[in-house]
Amino acid sequence: MRLRGLCLTVWLALSLPGGTALAIDSEAAFADPAMQARYENLNRELRCLFCQNQSIADSNATLAQDLRREVRDMMAEGRDDADIRAFMTARYGDFVLYDPPLAPRTWLLWAAPGLLVMIGILAVVLVIRRRARNLGDETDGLQGEGEP
Amino acid sequence: MMHKALFVLPGVGFILLAVFLVRGLFLDPSRIPSPLIGAPAPQFNLPDLGDPSREVTNLSWTGSPYLVNVWGTWCAGCREEHEVLLDIARNHELPILGINWKDQRELALRWLAELGNPYSAVGADLEGRVAIDWGVYGAPETFLVGADGRVLWKHIGPLTVEAWRDEFLPRLQGQGG
Amino acid sequence: MIPELGHFALVLSLLLALSQSWFGLVGAARGRVDWMRSAQTSVAGQWLLLLLSFAALVWSFIQFDFSVAYVANTSNSLLPLFYRIAAAWGGHEGSLLLWALILASWSAAIVAFSRQMPLPFRSRVLGILGLVSVGFILFMLFTSNPFDRLIPAAPEGRDLNPLLQDFALAVHPPTLYLGYVGLAVPFAFACATLLEGRQEVDWARWARPWTLMAWLCLTVGITLGSWWAYYELGWGGYWFWDPVENASFMPWLMATALVHSLAVTEKRGLFRSWTLLLAVSAFSLSLLGTFLVRSGVLVSVHAFATDPSRGLFILGFLVAVIGGALTLYAWRAPALQAPGGFAPTSREAFLLFNNALLVAATGLILVGTLYPLFMDALGLGKISVGPPYFGVAFLVPMVPLLLLMVFGMHAAWKYSRLGVAKRPLFILLPVALLAAVGLILAGYDHFSLAAFAGFGVALWLMGSSLIAPWQRRDRWRSLPAGFWGMTLAHFGVGLFTLGVTGVESYRIERDLSLAPGETATLMGYDFRFDGTREVQGPNYAAVEGSFTVTREGEPVTVLTSQKRLYASGGNPMTEAGIHVSPRRDLFVALGEDLGAGKWSMRLQYKPLIRYVWLGALLMALGGLVATADRRYRVQPAEEEGARA
């Protein structure tokens, strides 16, 4: 295939949603590294709804490119992260955010890590207290060692 | 020692989980409902597909219900639903506003010439901004907008006769339309 | 003809699996030695038949038999031989057959290497493995037959997904399945113990090497998957908390807890019912993972093509196996509890914390993965739970776990006697922190508190794992393999933490466009774009961009990245160019042709990323070394009748 023909095909193919090609902007969106970092972080938080579980940072689907452009434009206008997220959820719902919102319905989700760890630690502490009491009653000749 | 009853907990927990999983089998995790339903339809201005110097806007359409259909020549599902759209246009006095999404003008015009044009007007959304405003994430998608300008329903995927009958008509009738 | 033979072999293997279950379980219940023996023969037969069946499938692939639907869906006339063979497990049906074969292999291994277990116990274990086998084979025969014919035969296959056309396909699924399926072994041991109703005190000692083997296979399998995603998916990520990844990580965490809990049960006879529950849970999570990946319940890049009817079948299977095991547990486990004491900072106590934190981690991953489903089922709307959540949530149990590990490694059994290791540990802490600062200053351009903490913990952990060997340096030869395995594995955890901290804190990605001859600079490395040329592969056409990388004028390497279009159609694939070194990876991926010779591209600097996988591999190696411990060696065969 001639290079030109290949390029055209590749370009057309890339224009179609759902590509597995790399999600690349043709240049850094912002000269300011802090803005660029903010842009990249936001892109990682937003879901490409057309794809099978990828962020818009990682997908080259047309929709992902368009959404990245929207993020860029909004940041250039000076809108903050919360505004940009609100823009997206107003149109696509909470599904578009990989960072789930903090709301009554997601309370259990956000509480889960802390809760599970606390319950675990509590259970362990209770067991240890009981076993430490048992230790006082024991008379087996086991000499503790550090070997597995 | 642990109370005997505690040993039942893992089993109980698992049954609960299994119940959710059964329910989950009959849901479709990739169908995303639209937050626009019940909200005022986003207003847009797009160049007309046929004559880019003219504008197509849904502002002029408020007052009576209409459909908005997002399509493209590159989309296989759009071809599937085309007959249904033509039918609706012919029989139901409901105008269909088309948004040609991320497509090429010549291809789109040729498609409409060959397959028939169900649309009262078609706007060319080359950049995809309008589609984003409507929360479109894949084509085809069809919206029902009521007489008061609010989005009543969004259908994702090719529009079928059943979907028209079961999802759109009841809501349309609710409008007195 | 061959596919029919394969199908027939599969059906026969079902019969043998049934006989294995029946004779194994009922034979043990009735004390019939002849039945129990025949269960073992069934294992051998089942294994042979499944091997034949699998061979028939592979043969169909090699011969381009597109009259077999599965072959037509996952192969293509241009597909090279290597991938044709690997494609046998590239899709849903074939991967199930591999599952079944591997299960039969583990069962056969038990027959071969477990002479020291009393016959009734051994038979029960085989019986339970047989039941699991029955479930998988039935699943295949009823909903996912790899040998279904396509009539008329397809003129051309749909091709193996280009993402899978890679060496890693040959190793990642098989190793992963070895791990997933291998967890059925401790599961079977646990169920057999519960069935017996009385405590076979040695069951923990017998189960431990098998659990270690399954665990280490799973470790390698997951690591290979992560490495594969890194270079194949083209965006340089190594973990995405995707549901399918989580589905493999949860059993791994449970299996890690199990390996530690077994140590306590073996040594002191404590935590019996807890260890039994862990053993049941680890395999249950394996099965749950299978369900999540194949049922369409969750959206994932990795998911197989899905079908609700398949989902229902697997769910039914899950309920039967897990529900059955948990019912058995609720019924029998209370009688197996044992008294026994230990001090608050004894090894037992530390291992309890280890277990609690690992189980909490598993729980939170389960909650996060299933929460969208949970909300949808309750009509609360749809949400996504991704890396921003998991990245933070996972640290909650992990940071305490790593810190406790530093001390726990040195704890003595039963008594609080950290004394001998306390001084070295407290000396090591400032050393580790200083080294962390040094590492940051020497290697990177800005200070990050998170990186300082991460490096500090990692280095302290690595140092801590070396204290025990150092203190025993006069008697290395007499130290058991278990000790060395533990040391290696814990050191690996530290190394892993070092890698993750490095890459997460200091990685750099840059999207830009260059014309041939232009250069971009990243962390002191100059990337000069040398233009593109066309390349022809066996089943694809590609554009290859090449980059000369130098640092301060000194040549480093030449990297190439390809944009491939496969003949079978589909979207273009990016192959990245990667340069590996002990300190960092350099990563280039070609983007799009912007016209006039200019191309967009992504350059990445990935510090310390290799240690993520090296650390994990060391963990696995540690597990392997530990299985060589003398106390697990097969004892001379006892008179089976006498122990029955």
Side-chain angles (χ1 to χ4, degrees):
Chain A
M1 215 190 283
R2 306 193 54 145
L3 185 62
R4 207 177 176 72
L6 180 66
C7 288
L8 185 62
T9 317
V10 169
W11 180 83
L12 270 178
L14 284 178
S15 316
L16 301 178
T20 48
L22 197 53
I24 293 179
D25 297 334
S26 57
E27 59 189 0
F30 296 98
D32 172 17
M35 286 279 271
Q36 180 67 19
R38 216 184 112 205
Y39 170 66
E40 287 169 9
N41 273 331
L42 270 171
N43 285 346
R44 275 193 281 267
E45 275 184 39
L46 295 170
R47 184 170 190 158
C48 165
L49 300 115
F50 191 81
C51 320
Q52 296 279 87
N53 201 26
Q54 280 180 299
S55 67
I56 61 174
D58 299 325
S59 165
N60 210 32
T62 332
L63 180 64
Q65 290 177 342
D66 290 349
L67 287 173
R68 288 205 301 275
R69 183 198 59 219
E70 295 294 316
V71 174
R72 270 204 302 279
D73 292 348
M74 281 189 274
M75 281 181 66
E77 285 170 24
R79 292 165 72 165
D80 66 16
D81 287 3
D83 264 349
I84 296 176
R85 285 190 206 109
F87 176 91
M88 293 291 171
T89 52
R91 286 151 182 74
Y92 292 103
D94 287 331
F95 190 74
V96 77
L97 296 175
Y98 268 130
D99 197 1
L102 257 159
R105 63 190 184 284
T106 56
W107 174 88
L108 191 61
L109 176 67
W110 284 107
L115 260 177
L116 287 169
V117 169
M118 281 197 311
I119 294 174
I121 304 266
L122 187 65
V124 169
V125 166
L126 288 174
V127 171
I128 290 181
R129 279 174 48 177
R130 176 163 40 89
R131 297 289 182 167
R133 268 198 304 264
N134 289 359
L135 184 63
D137 313 330
E138 268 186 24
T139 49
D140 70 79
L142 183 66
Q143 293 303 306
E145 268 256 20
E147 316 299 355
Chain B
M1 293 300 130
M2 306 260 296
H3 197 277
K4 246 185 157 176
L6 282 174
F7 285 83
V8 180
L9 279 179
V12 169
F14 173 67
I15 298 293
L16 266 167
L17 179 65
V19 167
F20 276 112
L21 293 177
V22 173
R23 183 82 189 84
L25 276 175
F26 299 101
L27 301 166
D28 184 351
S30 57
R31 285 282 156 96
I32 302 150
S34 174
L36 289 180
I37 294 178
Q43 293 177 344
F44 61 83
N45 290 3
L46 284 175
D48 184 284
L49 184 70
D51 179 6
S53 66
R54 285 178 47 223
E55 261 201 351
V56 171
T57 169
N58 63 336
L59 251 174
S60 46
W61 293 39
T62 39
S64 59
Y66 61 93
L67 287 178
V68 174
N69 175 260
V70 179
W71 64 284
T73 57
W74 41 264
C75 141
C78 303
R79 200 165 239 273
E80 265 177 53
E81 67 170 8
H82 207 76
E83 271 308 311
V84 180
L85 288 174
L86 284 169
D87 240 9
I88 295 171
R90 271 194 290 266
N91 303 331
H92 290 273
E93 296 193 8
L94 185 72
I96 309 181
L97 185 48
I99 297 181
N100 184 238
W101 185 34
K102 307 237 53 171
D103 210 347
Q104 297 178 45
R105 261 192 83 238
E106 307 75 35
L107 290 177
L109 286 169
R110 206 181 315 149
W111 156 292
L112 291 177
E114 279 172 11
L115 299 176
N117 186 351
Y119 304 109
S120 306
V122 186
D125 187 8
L126 293 167
E127 295 207 314
R129 292 181 196 270
V130 172
I132 289 178
D133 268 346
W134 284 71
V136 172
Y137 64 91
E141 290 186 12
T142 310
F143 297 80
L144 175 63
V145 182
D148 56 357
R150 290 185 175 268
V151 176
L152 293 176
W153 186 246
K154 168 178 172 177
H155 179 84
I156 299 165
L159 189 59
T160 60
V161 175
E162 295 77 23
W164 174 249
R165 187 186 60 213
D166 300 333
E167 296 168 23
F168 286 77
L169 275 180
R171 290 178 169 85
L172 200 52
Q173 264 131 32
Q175 286 267 294
Chain C
M1 189 51 197
I2 304 271
E4 275 65 39
L5 278 176
H7 189 191
F8 188 56
L10 194 55
V11 175
L12 284 180
S13 74
L14 174 65
L15 296 173
L16 280 177
L18 283 165
S19 94
Q20 178 184 332
S21 316
W22 175 264
F23 289 123
L25 290 170
V26 180
R30 294 194 190 164
R32 295 197 51 168
V33 176
D34 54 341
W35 282 20
M36 293 193 266
R37 291 248 178 85
S38 81
Q40 296 187 159
T41 331
S42 302
V43 169
Q46 202 204 140
W47 181 77
L48 261 166
L49 285 167
L50 283 169
L51 189 64
L52 263 167
S53 189
F54 193 73
L57 186 63
V58 174
W59 181 252
S60 304
F61 269 94
I62 295 178
Q63 295 293 99
F64 300 111
D65 189 353
F66 297 135
S67 69
V68 177
Y70 179 66
V71 178
N73 272 332
T74 40
S75 180
N76 183 277
S77 57
L78 290 175
L79 194 62
L81 177 67
F82 182 78
Y83 298 127
R84 287 208 304 280
I85 298 176
W89 56 80
H92 167 69
E93 295 87 340
S95 70
L96 282 177
L97 189 53
L98 184 61
W99 251 85
L101 178 60
I102 290 177
L103 183 56
S105 308
W106 279 103
S107 309
I110 290 185
V111 172
F113 293 108
S114 301
R115 296 291 154 78
Q116 80 276 31
M117 286 198 287
L119 185 59
F121 186 77
R122 203 187 326 155
S123 307
R124 288 199 160 100
V125 169
L126 292 175
I128 291 163
L129 289 173
L131 282 177
V132 178
S133 212
V134 167
F136 271 95
I137 302 176
L138 274 177
F139 182 50
M140 270 189 280
L141 290 173
F142 279 99
T143 73
S144 321
N145 188 352
F147 299 106
D148 269 343
R149 287 284 198 178
L150 196 61
I151 297 166
E156 176 61 276
R158 281 176 58 195
D159 204 10
L160 183 63
N161 185 339
L163 275 175
L164 299 178
Q165 290 185 34
D166 182 270
F167 166 73
L169 178 64
V171 284
H172 163 61
T175 352
L176 199 61
Y177 293 169
L178 272 171
Y180 272 145
V181 178
L183 288 176
V185 174
F187 173 82
F189 274 74
C191 290
T193 305
L194 288 167
L195 277 172
E196 301 239 314
R198 61 192 174 81
Q199 187 65 199
E200 279 287 356
V201 180
D202 279 353
W203 84 269
R205 181 164 61 84
W206 299 327
R208 223 171 148 194
W210 295 102
T211 311
L212 274 169
M213 285 297 294
W215 174 85
L216 78 90
C217 289
L218 193 55
T219 311
V220 175
I222 297 175
T223 310
L224 284 172
S226 163
W227 171 65
W228 189 9
Y230 170 73
Y231 70 79
E232 180 64 16
L233 289 180
W235 39 266
Y238 59 91
W239 191 257
F240 194 64
W241 297 103
D242 177 91
V244 171
E245 293 174 337
N246 296 347
S248 68
F249 197 37
M250 289 188 283
W252 185 86
L253 288 167
M254 277 300 204
T256 308
L258 178 61
V259 163
H260 289 86
S261 185
L262 275 169
V264 181
T265 308
E266 180 192 348
K267 186 81 174 187
R268 302 223 37 224
L270 298 176
F271 305 169
R272 286 177 200 163
S273 47
W274 172 247
T275 307
L276 289 168
L277 183 61
L278 276 179
V280 169
S281 306
F283 184 58
S284 302
L285 284 167
S286 258
L287 287 178
L288 182 67
T290 309
F291 169 76
L292 291 175
V293 170
R294 294 166 198 267
S295 62
V297 151
L298 296 170
V299 181
S300 156
V301 267
H302 297 78
F304 289 100
T306 58
D307 188 344
S309 71
R310 286 177 176 170
L312 267 174
F313 192 109
I314 307 182
L315 193 54
F317 182 47
L318 235 73
V319 170
V321 173
I322 304 176
L326 288 175
T327 311
L328 191 57
Y329 176 78
W331 174 33
R332 285 290 175 83
L336 294 173
Q337 297 181 81
F342 51 84
T345 54
S346 59
R347 186 165 282 239
E348 292 90 322
F350 275 99
L351 288 175
L352 261 182
F353 279 111
N354 157 298
N355 271 204
L357 291 168
L358 284 170
V359 171
T362 310
L364 78 89
I365 295 177
L366 186 65
V367 170
T369 308
L370 292 181
Y371 210 80
L373 170 62
F374 171 68
M375 275 189 61
D376 200 6
L378 291 177
L380 293 171
K382 296 206 191 245
I383 60 162
S384 299
V385 181
Y389 170 82
F390 286 109
V392 170
F394 190 63
L395 286 177
V396 174
M398 279 301 124
V399 171
L401 182 66
L402 290 172
L403 288 171
L404 284 172
M405 259 178 88
V406 172
F407 295 93
M409 280 189 255
H410 307 284
W413 288 107
K414 193 165 179 179
Y415 299 106
S416 290
R417 216 189 291 156
L418 272 176
V420 89
K422 247 194 265 183
R423 260 196 74 224
L425 277 176
F426 283 114
I427 294 175
L428 265 179
L429 177 57
V431 171
L433 291 175
L434 268 170
V437 173
L439 181 56
I440 294 176
L441 289 177
Y444 311 107
D445 55 3
H446 67 275
F447 185 82
S448 145
L449 198 57
F452 172 63
F455 284 147
V457 170
L459 290 166
W460 200 25
L461 190 51
M462 285 159 73
S464 171
S465 64
L466 296 174
I467 290 179
W470 173 256
Q471 287 176 333
R472 293 164 180 72
R473 61 190 180 277
D474 53 336
R475 47 188 170 109
W476 278 0
R477 200 145 310 158
S478 69
L479 292 171
F483 172 81
W484 290 110
M486 177 188 77
T487 305
L488 257 173
H490 290 159
F491 185 82
V493 176
L495 199 59
F496 173 85
T497 310
L498 189 76
V500 170
T501 308
V503 78
E504 293 301 312
S505 306
Y506 291 114
R507 65 163 184 228
I508 301 175
E509 289 160 22
R510 195 138 297 154
D511 286 354
L512 39 79
S513 52
L514 293 174
E518 290 181 349
T519 304
T521 308
L522 200 63
M523 277 301 274
Y525 291 93
D526 297 308
F527 294 77
R528 190 189 72 218
F529 180 43
D530 294 326
T532 61
R533 64 187 185 114
E534 283 178 44
V535 164
Q536 192 69 33
N539 54 345
Y540 62 83
V543 176
E544 183 178 276
S546 117
F547 302 81
T548 304
V549 184
T550 56
R551 188 184 175 83
E552 281 153 22
E554 294 300 313
V556 172
T557 185
V558 173
L559 288 175
T560 61
S561 168
Q562 288 183 352
K563 206 44 165 233
R564 292 184 185 172
L565 252 185
Y566 280 79
S568 51
N571 294 303
M573 293 262 319
T574 310
E575 294 286 315
I578 305 177
H579 183 248
V580 179
S581 96
R583 289 186 54 188
R584 85 296 170 282
D585 272 19
L586 296 174
F587 191 103
V588 292
L590 198 60
E592 303 168 40
D593 186 358
L594 302 171
K598 220 167 153 102
W599 279 76
S600 68
M601 56 204 57
R602 176 173 286 183
L603 305 176
Q604 298 193 47
Y605 170 78
K606 311 286 260 191
L608 303 181
I609 194 169
R610 295 279 142 177
Y611 299 112
V612 171
W613 304 306
L614 189 58
L617 288 177
L618 276 181
M619 287 189 236
L621 186 61
L624 187 62
V625 167
T627 53
D629 196 291
R630 222 169 328 135
R631 67 179 184 277
Y632 303 132
R633 294 287 163 74
V634 179
Q635 309 295 332
E638 300 219 15
E639 256 310 306
E640 292 178 345
R643 296 282 296 270

